[in-house]
Amino acid sequence: PPPTDAAPRKRDVPWLGLLAGGLLLAAGAAWLSRRLPAWREEAEARRRARADAEPARFERLLGACRDANPHLAYQRLLHWLDAVEPPTTLDALGEITPSLDAAAQALEARLYGADGATDSPWSGHALATALIDAREADRGRMRRTMPVLPPLKPR
């Protein structure tokens, strides 16, 4: 009977399996090293798209209102309006929500009004509240006016 504690003989070692596994590992690493930069670029493009989307622009606008920075709020207001779908104007949103019209006029008076008006402190709370209301009202209007898909089998 052969001894049970005998070391494996050289021909019993699975060299071919180890070689194939190593080659697969090297091929996988090479593929990954070529694909990884493209994945990073795609992820960065998605991050930039999210940062430039309407919800992100709206949050930055509200932040400027919270910071009571009228110049930044006006700049971000115009930037947000560029992202609103379907395209709209401040006047159109003001028709939906009259408080937005008043808040926008107060902002414009603070920025471009008489000398005394431009030195007074500005609170963005009224503008932020009116913007939130107008955004919700505009979304509701969009839902009601969006076209319904035609039937699949017209009569």
Side-chain angles (χ1 to χ4, degrees):
T4 57
D5 292 345
R9 290 181 291 173
K10 212 174 198 181
R11 67 176 182 225
D12 291 337
V13 178
W15 291 106
L16 188 56
L18 289 174
L19 182 61
L23 286 174
L24 277 172
L25 188 62
W31 177 82
L32 188 61
S33 70
R34 295 180 117 194
R35 187 67 187 127
L36 198 57
W39 283 342
R40 285 185 179 145
E41 287 175 17
E42 291 167 6
E44 180 63 22
R46 284 192 303 272
R47 187 199 62 76
R48 280 193 307 268
R50 276 193 311 272
D52 200 42
E54 185 271 339
R57 289 182 182 195
F58 190 74
E59 286 303 316
R60 288 192 294 269
L61 169 57
L62 292 181
C65 290
R66 279 191 300 271
D67 294 343
N69 185 338
H71 297 284
L72 187 60
Y74 191 73
Q75 177 187 18
R76 290 189 174 167
L77 175 63
L78 297 177
H79 195 238
W80 170 69
L81 283 171
D82 287 341
V84 173
E85 287 294 331
T88 189
T89 63
L90 191 56
D91 291 335
L93 288 175
E95 290 173 8
I96 297 169
T97 310
S99 61
L100 178 59
D101 195 37
Q105 286 179 4
L107 174 62
E108 288 177 352
R110 169 60 177 84
L111 292 173
Y112 306 113
D115 291 333
T118 58
D119 295 333
S120 63
W122 177 77
S123 171
H125 179 72
L127 179 61
T129 304
L131 283 166
I132 291 169
D133 293 344
R135 186 176 184 224
E136 288 303 314
D138 191 51
R139 283 185 175 177
R141 180 183 56 84
M142 284 175 42
R143 281 188 214 107
R144 287 189 301 276
T145 60
M146 289 185 98
V148 178
L149 290 174
L152 292 175
K153 295 183 178 182
R155 296 180 186 192

